[in-house]
Amino acid sequence: MVIAEDLAKQQKSISVAEFFEKNKHLLGFDSPVRGIITTIKEAVDNALDACEEAEVLPDIFVSVRKIGPEAYRVAVEDNGPGIVPENVPYVFGKLLYGSRFHQIRQSRGQQGIGISAAVLYAQLTTGTPAVVVSRTSAKSTAHRFSLMIRTETNEPDVLEHEEIAWDRTHGTRIELEFRSSLAAKKRLLDYLKYTSVVNPHARIRVEIDGEATTFERVSDEVIRSPQAIRPHPHGIELGTLKRMAASTPETKLGDFLVDSFSRVGKKTAEEIAATAGLPIGARMGDVGAEAQKALLAAMQAVHVPAPPMSQCLSPIGEDLITQGLDKEFQLDFVKARTRPPSVFSGHPFVVEAAIGYGGKLDAEGTAQVMRFANRVPLIYQQGACAITARIAGVNWKSYGVSQSGLPTGPVLVLVHVASTNVPFTSESKDAVASIPEIEKEITLVLQDLGRELKTYLSRRDRNRQQEDRARAVCAVMPAIAEKVAEIVERPVPDISAIEGRIMRRLVARKSVRDGWVQITVQNHTDREVVLTIYDISTDAAEGAEPAPEFSSELDGEFTRLWNCALPPGGGWEVAYPGRGGGMLDVRGVEESRKVVVII
Amino acid sequence: MVIAEDLAKQQKSISVAEFFEKNKHLLGFDSPVRGIITTIKEAVDNALDACEEAEVLPDIFVSVRKIGPEAYRVAVEDNGPGIVPENVPYVFGKLLYGSRFHQIRQSRGQQGIGISAAVLYAQLTTGTPAVVVSRTSAKSTAHRFSLMIRTETNEPDVLEHEEIAWDRTHGTRIELEFRSSLAAKKRLLDYLKYTSVVNPHARIRVEIDGEATTFERVSDEVIRSPQAIRPHPHGIELGTLKRMAASTPETKLGDFLVDSFSRVGKKTAEEIAATAGLPIGARMGDVGAEAQKALLAAMQAVHVPAPPMSQCLSPIGEDLITQGLDKEFQLDFVKARTRPPSVFSGHPFVVEAAIGYGGKLDAEGTAQVMRFANRVPLIYQQGACAITARIAGVNWKSYGVSQSGLPTGPVLVLVHVASTNVPFTSESKDAVASIPEIEKEITLVLQDLGRELKTYLSRRDRNRQQEDRARAVCAVMPAIAEKVAEIVERPVPDISAIEGRIMRRLVARKSVRDGWVQITVQNHTDREVVLTIYDISTDAAEGAEPAPEFSSELDGEFTRLWNCALPPGGGWEVAYPGRGGGMLDVRGVEESRKVVVII
């Protein structure tokens, strides 16, 4: 029988590095294939965050090189602000070390785990150290480190450290060796492409085993880095309040409330104190455990304006989303929406979404789902993500889209969740957890966009129906015309113009009668058209009314040109003496939407 | 512009406690409702693990008491081996501290996070410390601690420590206060019920707000605690090998291999060394980085028998699963299968499953899915679990079960994954991650059981069809009998016995002719029946052949009793002189499956 004393011998501390080495799948290092992608994702996230903070236009270089049968060398380099040499070993050689964990603002990285986990995974699979180069300014030299993580203690182990020459004036480069494969190359390129779509200010150059791709920057505007805010009273737990009270430099309750919390002014502080039954001038040292409980209850009960969200959040924006998608898929329909910011458990968040239809999207199969969190594309675990569940939860049939769980057909759904604290289902940050407030916002924005899509689809269907009917009429018209001509003993009339009208085309007609040439243009389409009319014939057409804007003669052939803008239903005409014939063309409207008749 | 020096000021260590306080949803503390369940789950898991190690029949007491509008006090007490007083603060007041992390064997708890996370969550929501009582033997006194976790450092903070009198001779009790609600009471009871099903040796008493339930133990056999094994050469990464080589007390390569790894004997060690091109007697100090790489490759290349799995794994077993399910659902069909053990990344695992049909299961809707990992029921995140995905991935229609993702109808599917290292999708241990080897085993066992279900369903359908036909024949028989009687001018015959035969019933018939009473019993059912035949009448029935096993008289009425066992198709009869009539009854077969005729 094992007794307490035997068990006690086995009880001991587990280092964070040991924990995550054993549970590496929690960090997205569950397979050699995925290892490369996760590493690049962590490094690129860090690079973008750092450039944003330093207000630098990111210039990122990613390289993946095969160095053995199953071994790859990955390097990621940026032009960010660099890392001071004293901190380099900790940033890369210690899990749970970083600058963004305690700040309340939207950022890509947050935990201080990602890149050091990549170092851990590299040394686990190949036993080789990470190589880091960093330079903080043109005035200082670059430092090169070769380092590993001591798994048992989660402390960095610097094997080499030297100052070197580097052509970048500031930036950071990390190189790691993995046992891996490039089976997921497409996924990697997709990740980089989508990253570039939502980070139009970034230039990302990629070299995978000698093959180079560049995702060029399309905007020269530096993205405003979200600013940290103080915690909001509504999102505070008792334990947090206790800690804040214990560490505040303020001595009076009122000052503590105003200084420590977001959106608490003097008046709100007074209201909170009164509700808690505490004097606003109470000494912080006198606010005991019971008083703190009362204070917390009062902070929840009193109305406090929502946190200053535009400051700490950085949504992608409707225009950018629409442009990005349209560029990629040449959609027939695309609409994006950014919802007003909202709050869950005191954390500000904002949901954006877009729906695209047609274009280069696959007509068959399940809709294309694009998920983003804090401007980072989510590429794994689609099935476990609240975004996917909410997309499947919308009744798409009521918006004219077929559905089998997810919508089906040539549909694309993009959702971006941005927050000071995106609730992921695991440290690998692959999927957003089910938080009712966020789920509600996703549903609302998708319903909103669904209605827009429905309007588009039904207009398109109506147009198609009308066109079908018109086509049917036009099909019998020649026979009717012939019959009527026969009865009234007249030549068969030209019916192209009538057809054009029925088919909602632009009809240009050149006819001659009694020595006068007449050109008419009639806009039967449903949109305004801006036209250039070319008329070529042997007629000199002097005295044309209106006069052509341009006119020339070559070997007895005269070319004339008019410009005009016609609203739907509008018409234009010109007449001049002559014999007619020759050529007539109208530019400014698609070939399939115009009818040109010369009689 | 922010520069490296500004950023450096914000870069700092994050304690594990801070990390998990902020990311409490990763541990299953994402909502007040869930908090109670997660806490009880962690405490009960620990109690069962400790009792198993100490070879004690677990006697666990769980209490949940409302102590305020939104506040609950949860206590879990066990009769395990207890914890030595010096270690109590660390077990409950430090995340990543435990005895099972470094051991390769199946256990419920592993990370040393769960129960201290509950302490962290309690102090976060109510600010109150945890109270722990522990006693290690009748010879020592019990110790009572009141403690919290210092979040910034992840170190325990003992507020009170005293020796007290306690009626248990050994065991541990923890009490915590939460802001919570009992909205998920049913889920909590389900968790405890399923826990008791797969831990039949445990007695679990529950008191929820005054309402008591006991899940009684149904077996007095102590579950054999799985034994730890050494790592298997096939599951080793280079980093691990390096660490093992650095810390081994052995000085020679051969001894190192034999002593450090599971299933490596002298011969296998020689083969590994030869494949790696190293002398078997090489000094460990001379085995450098390159040699280690060669060694690792050789360890993967050489055939090594699978790890000794029955020692480190503890499956529930087919009988126990079947009994547990049948007790709960009174199923029409139930079959369980335990697969042979297998290995993923060097970790032994075994998959068990069961399929149930009919009984008390809902005839409508999706199948009931019961997931277990290392004998612990999984209650959250069904959608994110590889078990669910694999169940949905089976083509159930080919086994005669309708399907819409998951199978539908009165079906139950149970899957248990047991391993020395269950790969969960997050620290909350709600869902099993997608590991190809495990997924394959789940699919195989479900296909196997699916075939069994199909056999059952088609036999049932065939029986139903036969019964339908028989019913049709029986419906017209009275009319035929009447017609025939009319034609042959005889009285209408009694056709019940014929009906019984057609309908596959047991037919008991008592008739009288020429002063002799005859009782016949014919078994037309498809199973053996063991019967007791009661015959009551005014006949004394002396000289009955066979003689009744019991006979009595009351007021001129005689009661007689015979026992008999009849195979399908078998018959029995008795005859005695008398006038017949009275009463006849047959016990031992359902009412609906027997026909009794008295003529």
Side-chain angles (χ1 to χ4, degrees):
Chain A
M1 179 175 145
V2 178
I3 49 169
E5 281 70 27
D6 300 322
L7 290 176
K9 283 175 209 141
Q10 295 159 8
Q11 280 159 355
K12 56 178 170 177
S13 279
I14 300 142
S15 95
V16 182
E18 285 179 314
F19 175 74
F20 280 119
E21 182 179 292
K22 183 164 174 184
N23 294 289
K24 50 188 179 291
H25 64 281
L26 296 179
L27 297 174
F29 290 103
D30 38 353
S31 77
V33 177
R34 206 184 148 176
I36 285 191
I37 298 190
T38 303
T39 301
I40 292 175
K41 188 167 180 280
E42 295 296 345
V44 169
D45 283 1
N46 286 354
L48 290 171
D49 271 339
C51 288
E52 219 165 273
E53 283 165 5
E55 291 172 19
V56 166
L57 282 175
D59 193 346
I60 299 173
F61 172 67
V62 175
S63 131
V64 180
R65 208 152 38 82
K66 191 166 183 156
I67 53 165
E70 277 194 308
Y72 285 83
R73 189 157 186 87
V74 175
V76 179
E77 188 177 308
D78 67 48
N79 62 337
I83 299 162
V84 298
E86 304 81 67
N87 289 10
V88 166
Y90 298 99
V91 169
F92 295 93
K94 184 179 173 71
L95 278 82
L96 288 179
Y97 183 90
S99 59
R100 298 176 198 106
F101 183 81
H102 294 278
Q103 294 186 20
I104 306 182
R105 66 180 179 87
Q106 175 182 335
S107 60
R108 295 168 185 80
Q110 199 126 33
Q111 325 283 28
I113 292 185
I115 197 66
S116 30
V119 173
L120 192 69
Y121 185 68
Q123 76 185 36
L124 179 68
T125 60
T126 66
T128 49
V131 173
V132 178
V133 177
S134 192
R135 187 174 177 188
T136 57
S137 77
K139 282 176 243 155
S140 48
T141 53
H143 289 251
R144 181 184 177 284
F145 292 83
S146 164
L147 59 86
M148 298 182 87
I149 300 178
R150 281 204 201 93
T151 314
E152 298 85 345
T153 55
N154 185 34
E155 290 294 332
D157 186 5
V158 176
L159 307 175
E160 292 167 30
H161 175 197
E162 54 180 343
E163 298 192 20
I164 59 162
W166 199 32
D167 52 357
R168 297 236 190 211
T169 50
H170 51 86
T172 305
R173 175 188 173 94
I174 175 157
E175 279 182 49
L176 290 169
E177 265 179 48
F178 295 104
R179 186 156 54 71
S180 185
S181 98
L182 262 179
K185 186 173 161 186
K186 193 190 164 299
R187 231 190 246 255
L188 172 58
L189 286 172
D190 275 355
Y191 158 72
L192 291 169
K193 179 164 73 187
Y194 298 153
T195 301
S196 119
V197 165
V198 295
N199 294 283
H201 64 308
R203 178 162 177 257
I204 307 178
R205 289 176 301 137
V206 191
E207 236 180 77
I208 301 183
D209 234 0
E211 215 176 290
T213 318
T214 300
F215 300 98
E216 207 37 88
R217 88 168 46 94
V218 294
S219 148
D220 279 339
E221 240 173 277
V222 174
I223 285 192
R224 182 189 56 80
S225 174
Q227 297 303 302
I229 59 166
R230 285 163 294 170
H232 192 265
H234 287 181
I236 290 291
E237 303 267 14
L238 188 60
T240 320
L241 178 62
K242 276 178 101 167
R243 267 208 306 283
M244 290 174 75
S247 65
T248 181
E250 299 297 338
T251 53
K252 299 252 169 85
L253 176 59
D255 297 337
F256 166 67
L257 290 174
V258 171
D259 280 11
S260 309
F261 295 97
S262 139
R263 296 294 197 193
V264 176
K266 208 156 163 269
K267 238 179 130 166
T268 309
E270 276 166 13
E271 208 182 329
I272 292 174
T275 309
L278 297 168
I280 182 83
R283 282 192 45 241
M284 283 306 288
D286 299 340
V287 179
E290 282 312 305
Q292 282 174 354
K293 277 190 194 174
L295 198 59
L296 183 77
M299 281 164 66
Q300 314 301 312
V302 164
H303 172 79
V304 185
M309 312 215 236
S310 57
Q311 180 186 333
C312 59
L313 296 177
S314 160
I316 305 169
E318 297 178 0
D319 286 353
L320 188 56
I321 294 177
T322 318
Q323 285 162 26
L325 290 179
D326 204 34
K327 181 181 144 215
E328 187 63 32
F329 299 102
Q330 282 102 60
L331 299 159
D332 296 337
F333 165 88
V334 58
K335 268 273 184 314
R337 275 276 176 291
T338 303
R339 292 274 308 164
S342 186
V343 181
F344 78 93
S345 316
H347 308 296
F349 74 96
V350 62
V351 170
E352 306 179 279
I355 294 185
Y357 193 92
K360 283 176 152 187
L361 295 171
D362 253 351
E364 300 292 316
T366 308
Q368 176 149 2
V369 171
M370 290 172 78
R371 299 172 295 135
F372 292 88
N374 283 8
R375 286 180 180 254
V376 176
L378 309 183
I379 36 182
Y380 286 95
Q381 291 200 32
Q382 179 170 307
C385 186
I387 292 177
T388 315
R390 281 310 91 215
I391 295 174
V394 167
N395 182 5
W396 291 98
K397 283 169 192 155
S398 71
Y399 304 128
V401 175
S402 61
Q403 178 171 24
S404 144
L406 289 174
T408 54
V411 182
L412 174 149
V413 184
L414 177 153
V415 176
H416 177 220
V417 177
S419 172
T420 55
N421 185 18
V422 177
F424 289 107
T425 59
S426 86
E427 289 87 344
S428 59
K429 303 196 280 189
D430 291 317
V432 176
S434 304
I435 303 290
E437 291 89 341
I438 296 180
E439 293 182 317
K440 188 180 154 207
E441 283 293 306
I442 296 175
T443 300
L444 285 176
V445 72
L446 289 179
Q447 286 172 341
D448 192 7
L449 290 168
R451 281 187 290 272
E452 299 264 7
L453 177 60
K454 185 186 179 180
T455 308
Y456 162 77
L457 288 177
S458 43
R459 189 184 302 134
R460 188 199 61 171
D461 291 347
R462 207 162 50 234
N463 288 350
R464 274 203 189 146
Q465 208 177 34
Q466 281 176 351
E467 206 170 304
D468 286 349
R469 281 194 202 135
R471 219 179 284 279
V473 171
C474 290
V476 298
M477 265 197 354
I480 295 174
E482 221 167 276
K483 247 327 177 225
V484 170
E486 199 182 304
I487 293 167
V488 300
E489 295 183 348
R490 296 276 302 265
V492 180
D494 168 57
I495 54 169
S496 331
I498 304 166
E499 270 183 20
R501 187 167 172 179
I502 294 174
M503 294 296 290
R504 299 172 156 271
R505 304 269 157 88
L506 181 100
V507 179
R509 200 167 192 276
K510 182 177 179 182
S511 58
V512 61
R513 183 183 282 190
D514 308 330
W516 277 83
V517 178
Q518 191 180 31
I519 298 174
T520 59
V521 178
Q522 196 63 37
N523 181 11
H524 297 299
T525 75
D526 53 1
R527 24 191 132 155
E528 180 171 358
V529 289
V530 177
L531 303 173
T532 304
I533 299 150
Y534 292 88
D535 175 31
I536 306 175
S537 69
T538 50
D539 297 323
E542 275 163 24
E545 182 56 36
E549 287 166 44
F550 170 86
S551 178
S552 73
E553 194 237 325
L554 183 69
D555 296 338
E557 270 219 332
F558 295 86
T559 301
R560 287 167 292 276
L561 179 161
W562 291 269
N563 288 318
C564 72
L566 297 181
W572 176 92
E573 63 171 48
V574 68
Y576 56 81
R579 277 165 301 158
M583 206 276 276
L584 177 69
D585 194 13
V586 182
R587 306 273 169 83
V589 68
E590 299 149 59
E591 215 51 49
S592 63
R593 304 197 66 83
K594 73 183 176 193
V595 180
V596 177
V597 188
I598 299 169
I599 303 172
Chain B
M1 179 175 148
V2 177
I3 48 167
E5 281 71 26
D6 300 322
L7 290 176
K9 283 176 208 141
Q10 294 158 8
Q11 281 158 353
K12 56 178 169 177
S13 279
I14 300 142
S15 95
V16 181
E18 285 179 314
F19 175 75
F20 280 119
E21 181 179 293
K22 184 164 173 183
N23 294 289
K24 50 189 179 290
H25 64 281
L26 296 180
L27 297 173
F29 290 103
D30 39 352
S31 76
V33 177
R34 207 184 148 176
I36 284 191
I37 298 189
T38 303
T39 300
I40 292 176
K41 188 167 180 281
E42 295 295 345
V44 170
D45 284 359
N46 287 354
L48 290 171
D49 272 338
C51 288
E52 220 164 273
E53 283 165 5
E55 292 173 18
V56 166
L57 282 174
D59 193 346
I60 298 173
F61 173 66
V62 175
S63 130
V64 180
R65 207 151 39 81
K66 191 167 183 155
I67 53 165
E70 277 194 308
Y72 285 82
R73 190 159 185 86
V74 174
V76 179
E77 188 178 307
D78 67 48
N79 62 337
I83 299 162
V84 299
E86 305 80 67
N87 288 10
V88 166
Y90 297 100
V91 170
F92 295 94
K94 183 178 174 67
L95 279 82
L96 287 178
Y97 182 91
S99 59
R100 297 175 199 106
F101 183 82
H102 293 278
Q103 294 185 21
I104 305 183
R105 66 180 179 87
Q106 175 182 334
S107 60
R108 295 167 185 81
Q110 200 127 34
Q111 325 284 27
I113 293 185
I115 197 65
S116 30
V119 173
L120 192 69
Y121 185 69
Q123 76 186 32
L124 180 67
T125 61
T126 65
T128 49
V131 173
V132 178
V133 177
S134 191
R135 188 174 177 188
T136 57
S137 78
K139 283 175 240 154
S140 48
T141 54
H143 289 251
R144 181 185 178 283
F145 291 83
S146 163
L147 59 87
M148 298 182 88
I149 299 177
R150 281 204 201 93
T151 314
E152 298 84 346
T153 56
N154 185 35
E155 290 295 333
D157 187 4
V158 176
L159 307 175
E160 292 169 29
H161 175 198
E162 53 180 344
E163 299 193 18
I164 60 161
W166 200 30
D167 51 358
R168 297 236 190 211
T169 50
H170 52 85
T172 304
R173 176 187 173 93
I174 175 157
E175 280 181 48
L176 290 168
E177 265 179 48
F178 295 103
R179 185 156 56 71
S180 185
S181 98
L182 263 179
K185 185 173 162 186
K186 192 187 162 302
R187 230 190 247 254
L188 173 58
L189 286 173
D190 275 353
Y191 158 72
L192 291 170
K193 180 163 72 187
Y194 297 153
T195 301
S196 120
V197 165
V198 295
N199 295 283
H201 64 309
R203 178 162 177 255
I204 307 177
R205 289 176 299 139
V206 192
E207 237 180 76
I208 301 182
D209 234 0
E211 216 176 288
T213 316
T214 300
F215 300 98
E216 208 37 89
R217 88 167 46 93
V218 294
S219 148
D220 279 339
E221 240 173 278
V222 175
I223 286 193
R224 182 188 57 80
S225 174
Q227 297 303 303
I229 58 167
R230 284 162 295 170
H232 191 266
H234 288 180
I236 290 291
E237 303 267 13
L238 188 61
T240 319
L241 178 63
K242 276 179 101 166
R243 267 209 304 283
M244 289 173 75
S247 65
T248 182
E250 300 296 338
T251 52
K252 299 250 168 86
L253 176 60
D255 298 335
F256 165 67
L257 290 174
V258 172
D259 281 11
S260 309
F261 294 97
S262 137
R263 297 294 197 193
V264 177
K266 207 156 163 274
K267 241 182 128 165
T268 309
E270 275 166 13
E271 206 183 331
I272 292 174
T275 310
L278 298 169
I280 182 83
R283 283 194 43 244
M284 283 307 289
D286 298 340
V287 180
E290 281 313 304
Q292 284 174 353
K293 276 189 196 175
L295 199 58
L296 184 78
M299 282 164 64
Q300 314 301 312
V302 165
H303 172 79
V304 185
M309 313 216 233
S310 57
Q311 179 184 334
C312 60
L313 295 177
S314 161
I316 305 168
E318 296 178 0
D319 286 352
L320 187 58
I321 294 177
T322 319
Q323 284 161 26
L325 289 180
D326 203 34
K327 182 180 143 215
E328 186 63 33
F329 298 103
Q330 283 102 60
L331 298 160
D332 296 337
F333 164 89
V334 58
K335 267 274 185 313
R337 274 277 176 293
T338 302
R339 293 274 307 164
S342 186
V343 181
F344 79 93
S345 316
H347 308 297
F349 74 96
V350 62
V351 169
E352 306 178 279
I355 294 186
Y357 193 91
K360 283 176 153 186
L361 294 171
D362 254 350
E364 300 291 316
T366 308
Q368 177 150 0
V369 171
M370 290 172 78
R371 299 172 294 136
F372 292 88
N374 284 6
R375 288 181 180 253
V376 177
L378 309 183
I379 36 182
Y380 285 95
Q381 291 199 34
Q382 180 170 308
C385 187
I387 292 178
T388 315
R390 279 313 90 214
I391 295 175
V394 167
N395 181 5
W396 292 97
K397 281 168 195 156
S398 70
Y399 304 128
V401 175
S402 59
Q403 177 171 24
S404 143
L406 288 174
T408 53
V411 182
L412 174 148
V413 183
L414 176 152
V415 176
H416 178 218
V417 176
S419 174
T420 55
N421 187 17
V422 177
F424 290 107
T425 58
S426 86
E427 289 87 344
S428 59
K429 303 196 280 190
D430 291 317
V432 176
S434 304
I435 303 290
E437 290 90 342
I438 297 181
E439 292 182 318
K440 187 181 155 205
E441 283 293 307
I442 297 176
T443 299
L444 285 176
V445 72
L446 290 178
Q447 285 172 341
D448 193 6
L449 291 168
R451 281 187 290 271
E452 299 263 7
L453 177 61
K454 187 186 178 180
T455 307
Y456 161 77
L457 288 177
S458 43
R459 188 183 304 135
R460 187 199 61 171
D461 291 348
R462 208 162 48 234
N463 288 349
R464 272 205 190 145
Q465 210 177 31
Q466 282 176 350
E467 205 171 303
D468 286 350
R469 281 194 202 137
R471 220 179 285 279
V473 171
C474 291
V476 298
M477 268 200 349
I480 295 173
E482 220 167 279
K483 245 336 179 219
V484 171
E486 199 182 303
I487 294 167
V488 299
E489 294 183 349
R490 295 276 300 266
V492 180
D494 167 55
I495 53 169
S496 331
I498 305 166
E499 270 184 18
R501 189 167 170 181
I502 295 174
M503 293 297 290
R504 300 173 155 272
R505 303 269 157 88
L506 181 99
V507 179
R509 201 166 189 278
K510 184 177 179 182
S511 58
V512 61
R513 182 183 283 192
D514 307 332
W516 277 84
V517 178
Q518 191 180 32
I519 298 174
T520 58
V521 178
Q522 196 64 37
N523 180 10
H524 298 300
T525 72
D526 51 2
R527 23 190 134 154
E528 180 172 358
V529 289
V530 176
L531 304 173
T532 304
I533 299 149
Y534 293 88
D535 175 31
I536 305 174
S537 70
T538 50
D539 297 322
E542 276 163 25
E545 183 56 38
E549 288 166 42
F550 170 86
S551 175
S552 73
E553 193 239 323
L554 184 69
D555 297 339
E557 268 220 333
F558 294 87
T559 300
R560 285 167 296 276
L561 179 159
W562 291 270
N563 287 318
C564 71
L566 298 181
W572 176 92
E573 63 171 47
V574 67
Y576 56 81
R579 277 167 299 159
M583 205 276 276
L584 177 70
D585 194 11
V586 181
R587 306 273 169 82
V589 67
E590 300 151 58
E591 215 50 51
S592 64
R593 302 196 67 84
K594 72 182 177 192
V595 179
V596 176
V597 188
I598 299 169
I599 302 171

